[in-house]
Amino acid sequence: MSNSAGLTIFDGDLLRSIDLNLPELQYGVTGAQLLEISESKVSQSLSGLSLPPHLKNAAISRVSDGDDVNFRRTEFNQQQASEKLGVFFSAVADALKETPIVVSILDGTMLKMFLEDEDDFAMLAENLFTDLDEEDKGKLCKSEIRKALVHMGVEMGVPPLSEFPILDDIVKKHDADGDEELGQAQFAQLLQPVLRDIADVLHEKPITIVQNVEIFTGSRIHKILGDEKKLKCLVEKTILEESNGKGWVKTLIIKNGKELGLPPLSSDNEQVALLYETIFSQLNNKEKETADASTKEEFMDALKDILKKFEDLLETTPVYSATNL
């Protein structure tokens, strides 16, 4: 577990050091009671966080050997209960090791830091304006303020609309909507009070955002490269779906990235987008020709070559992909 600036990462390590003795149990307990005790103790160890359904279900499945109904009815003595509790904790710890949970406490602090430093805010506003001005017109509609807030996201202290419906009221309060076009300076002037109001509301009532974080390293791709059968199936599927034979490998990777051990490509995740851009931009002319291979054998060779590049890069620089729970 690590903690920094209101952000806590639970990766399961803490759970492996918890004392799992149950001195309070003087008599036997049913499996149903034991599950309640287990979930409560895990929650305490996770700073009071309620156990997400996928973690809870994984732990129940392991501790009950897949027979939840009979397990809940079974009576356990103190020693048996302690052993089962250990299995429950191990199951949660293993799941967290594979997919850590990130808990972000949004209390307005990060936004106030941006607003209090003129240079930081100017840089933030400029970057947002540049990213949103895709046509390079030097103008953005007022309505783009909403997109700017989404673009900032939890990482910069702005909660998603689903968790913070008052965001709509704040945007409307400052007339940050409509088709009126603004230059960069005007855009920054409008963004500033919107962020200030969001920070004030969060200061009064902080919001806790829980996210799953998948860590993608080269080990996933290494396993896939050793699965010749799976790679052949994906190659054949792509050849059937794509008729022109151009850019087959790139198409396969983008469409089936998760199956290949790659993080899903998303423009909202700059680290992931940069990973794909780096790999594809490294291809020299000869490799680009190979990527347009017309036979299964050439296609397979090209795919393995590019996946190896992904593997090497991810091995030195893992990337993270987060999804809200």
Side-chain angles (χ1 to χ4, degrees), residues 9-11 96-102 212-220 258 261-263 271 314 317-322:
I9 300 176
F10 294 104
D11 58 11
L96 286 174
K97 199 67 179 177
E98 180 69 24
T99 309
I101 287 178
V102 172
N212 263 345
V213 175
E214 286 190 87
I215 303 175
F216 290 85
T217 65
S219 61
R220 292 192 183 195
K258 195 74 179 286
L262 294 167
Q271 190 183 21
L314 284 171
T317 310
V319 302
Y320 304 85
S321 178

Side-chain angles (χ1 to χ4, degrees), residues 128-130 132-134 137-144 179-183 187:
L128 288 171
F129 189 92
T130 301
L132 295 172
D133 184 18
E134 296 177 355
K137 298 192 305 181
K139 295 283 185 180
L140 287 176
C141 294
K142 282 185 174 181
S143 59
E144 295 291 297
D179 297 330
E180 181 182 345
E181 292 189 330
L182 306 174
F187 186 81

Side-chain angles (χ1 to χ4, degrees), residues 1 3 8-16 18 38-52 54-56 88-89 92-93 95-96 99-103 105 208 210 325:
M1 181 184 74
N3 188 293
T8 305
I9 300 176
F10 294 104
D11 58 11
D13 286 346
L14 180 64
L15 296 181
R16 301 185 192 279
I18 300 296
S38 300
E39 186 175 355
S40 175
K41 284 189 170 292
V42 169
S43 177
Q44 292 174 17
S45 302
L46 299 180
S47 302
L49 177 70
S50 296
L51 201 57
H54 73 287
L55 291 180
K56 180 179 177 180
F88 191 97
F89 265 65
V92 176
L96 286 174
T99 309
I101 287 178
V102 172
V103 179
I105 308 297
T208 299
V210 182
L325 291 177

Side-chain angles (χ1 to χ4, degrees), residues 141-152:
C141 294
K142 282 185 174 181
S143 59
E144 295 291 297
I145 287 290
R146 289 178 183 273
K147 290 185 180 180
L149 298 174
V150 172
H151 204 71
M152 290 179 67

